[in-house]
Amino acid sequence: MTTLNCRAELRLLKLFDYLHLIVDRLESFDATIERGDGTLAFTYSFGSARFIMQPETLVMEASAHDEHGLRRIKELLSVAIELYAKSENPQVTWEGDLADDTTLPSFRLMRVDNAWQVTPGMRRVRLLGDNLDRFETASSMHIRMLFPTAAVPEPVWPIAGRNGLALWPSEERKPVTRVYTIRNIDAAAGYMDIDFVVHGDAADGHEGVGCAWAMHAAEGDVVGIMGPLGRPVRAAEWYIMGCDETGLPALSRILERLPSHARGFAFVEVADAACEQRIAHPDGIDLRWIHRDGVAGGEHEGLVQAIRAVAWPEDVSSFGWFASESDASRQVREYWRTTLAYGRDKTLAAGYWKRGAAGLMAN
Ligand SMILES: Cc1cc2nc3c(=O)[nH]c(=O)nc-3n(C[C@H](O)[C@H](O)[C@H](O)COP(=O)(O)OP(=O)(O)OC[C@H]3O[C@@H](n4cnc5c(N)ncnc54)[C@H](O)[C@@H]3O)c2cc1C
């Protein structure tokens, strides 16, 4: 069997300050790790990697039996380095097999199959594409969507640079990016569904590129996606969860996959009763809908109040998950982390959009 190999050498003076974070991330993609004298070996189902740690230098080696596997390993390592060694401005340059390859493993070109209203406030778009296996994971359920616009109707899609990560060949013809959640996916059948919140309208100028694209999406339209993105929700016996409509696709996927014995609360803020959805969830999770009833998105206080009113049990493992407008998410994060003193291992509170700002988290 042939093996493809490549390596990159980096000068990193503070590697041991953040190495544990890199290892934690690389391990979370189902790796087995072997620790040696100054080495770390990671084995994945699609290939393997080795770190050789020398004074002020990190050598990264990657191997796989096919191109697809080697691209994934390069990407995994490069993302971990870019994230955690950021303060040292690392320049990853892969040498060896596929060094000049420009195929970006995280990118897919998708085509609209169909679009329909799930509720008055939510439009679902079904996208068709090839080779979607990497997106079919519940531990990373978000994607970056790359939209054509009136100004750039035929964007130039990203390619892989020498570090294995996205490179935008044309600034002038760059697509507009926004982050969304994969609501449903069937890689074997070649489709995924994305639920778009209908917010604002063209007249008030708050419609946004993503929302406008979804409202007009028609069979055959093309759109780019990159991913998947996001960290998994930790396993626990008891959960407290909260979101507005933007977090509802993610919450729905989380609830559908929880074991039947899971207990806790899930609060969802929507515009009104017509925007409620049927979501499969364990009997022990008390799912409650909060209606804004005329109050604008991001201005209703009921969701944060509901989250703060729940006492966490002391005797079982627990996890808090929250996704909403960024100010509400900040309040919940502060409450959980500062008032209740729970750490990252027990809580995840993310801002999904920001009042008055376009494209939160899109870049
Ligand atoms: C991890 C993650 C997952 C997400 N998943 C989803 C998803 O599955 N479905 C989904 O619809 N959104 C989701 N979002 C939120 C989405 O990325 C933002 O709402 C984004 O701003 C929408 O882009 P846009 O181009 O429509 O509007 P933008 O151009 O970004 O914004 C234009 C204007 O609209 C306002 N605005 C943006 N979103 C809303 C909103 N929801 N309600 C009211 N006003 C708003 C902005 O404040 C701004 O004034 C997710 C975000 C993250 C970070």
Side-chain angles (χ1 to χ4, degrees):
M1 197 186 289
T2 48
T3 306
L4 299 171
N5 299 299
C6 63
R7 80 193 286 281
E9 193 168 319
L10 290 166
R11 190 168 149 75
L12 296 174
L13 307 184
K14 298 183 224 149
L15 176 64
F16 292 99
D17 293 354
Y18 48 75
L19 181 64
H20 63 288
L21 297 171
I22 293 179
V23 173
D24 185 43
R25 183 179 170 88
L26 293 178
E27 193 173 17
S28 74
F29 291 88
D30 292 333
T32 53
I33 302 192
E34 254 178 73
R35 292 177 163 81
D37 189 13
T39 63
L40 281 168
F42 304 87
T43 307
Y44 297 90
S45 58
F46 46 89
S48 61
R50 197 157 80 108
F51 279 4
I52 304 161
M53 286 143 322
Q54 299 162 350
E56 302 190 350
T57 301
L58 171 68
V59 177
M60 301 192 293
E61 295 175 343
S63 332
H65 290 305
D66 58 31
E67 295 188 346
H68 175 65
L70 193 66
R71 287 188 193 115
R72 274 193 82 178
I73 300 270
K74 279 164 60 171
E75 182 194 29
L76 269 183
L77 300 181
S78 292
V79 169
I81 293 289
E82 298 257 324
L83 270 178
Y84 296 114
K86 196 161 46 191
S87 64
E88 303 210 60
N89 191 22
Q91 305 294 326
V92 178
T93 305
W94 292 105
E95 308 286 349
D97 292 325
L98 299 186
D100 297 318
D101 177 48
T102 56
T103 307
L104 185 61
S106 60
F107 176 79
R108 299 287 181 280
L109 192 61
M110 306 292 287
R111 206 163 23 82
V112 173
D113 179 41
N114 199 358
W116 66 98
Q117 291 300 131
V118 179
T119 66
M122 193 77 94
R123 187 160 185 80
R124 180 164 295 170
V125 181
R126 177 158 293 183
L127 301 173
L128 307 176
D130 297 328
N131 188 16
L132 300 179
D133 293 11
R134 71 179 264 142
F135 295 90
E136 205 168 43
T137 159
S139 52
S140 290
M141 52 186 165
H142 311 298
I143 50 171
R144 191 163 286 136
M145 295 195 71
L146 318 180
F147 297 109
T149 57
V152 184
E154 289 183 13
V156 179
W157 305 110
I159 57 172
R162 283 299 291 253
N163 60 2
L165 304 182
L167 185 83
W168 302 90
S170 165
E171 272 306 312
E172 295 75 42
R173 290 179 55 201
K174 200 172 166 180
V176 171
T177 59
R178 298 284 186 263
V179 181
Y180 286 90
T181 304
I182 299 171
R183 174 63 186 91
N184 303 306
I185 177 164
D186 185 336
Y191 77 82
M192 63 172 66
D193 294 335
I194 313 294
D195 284 1
F196 292 79
V197 175
V198 179
H199 63 86
D201 54 41
D204 72 9
H206 290 300
E207 192 177 36
V209 171
C211 175
W213 182 86
M215 294 311 290
H216 300 110
E219 189 184 349
D221 288 357
V222 293
V223 68
I225 64 165
M226 283 168 71
L229 316 164
R231 307 298 307 266
V233 169
R234 301 234 179 183
E237 290 155 89
W238 183 90
Y239 291 88
I240 176 163
M241 294 177 270
C243 65
D244 66 4
E245 294 96 329
T246 59
L248 184 52
L251 178 76
S252 305
R253 280 191 71 181
I254 295 168
L255 287 177
E256 284 167 2
R257 281 165 185 76
L258 284 184
S260 57
H261 55 79
R263 293 183 293 115
F265 291 89
F267 299 98
V268 187
E269 177 198 303
V270 290
D272 52 37
C275 291
E276 292 185 10
Q277 296 183 24
R278 291 177 84 83
I279 308 169
H281 61 91
D283 290 344
I285 299 277
D286 186 351
L287 174 62
R288 298 189 188 176
W289 298 87
I290 295 168
H291 301 157
R292 283 193 301 274
D293 283 331
V295 177
E299 291 181 11
H300 195 277
E301 291 173 359
L303 180 61
V304 175
Q305 283 168 359
I307 291 282
R308 291 172 65 110
V310 174
W312 292 45
E314 294 294 334
D315 52 339
V316 293
S317 59
S318 46
F319 192 84
W321 180 90
F322 190 82
S324 182
E325 198 279 328
S326 71
D327 189 52
S329 297
R330 182 189 51 74
Q331 292 180 49
V332 169
R333 192 180 314 115
E334 279 175 12
Y335 178 68
W336 283 347
R337 296 267 175 86
T338 311
T339 311
L340 300 184
Y342 293 141
R344 278 167 175 272
D345 57 328
K346 279 181 86 145
T347 61
L348 176 59
Y352 272 22
W353 64 284
K354 189 171 169 57
R355 258 187 304 165
L360 184 70
M361 307 282 289
N363 298 306

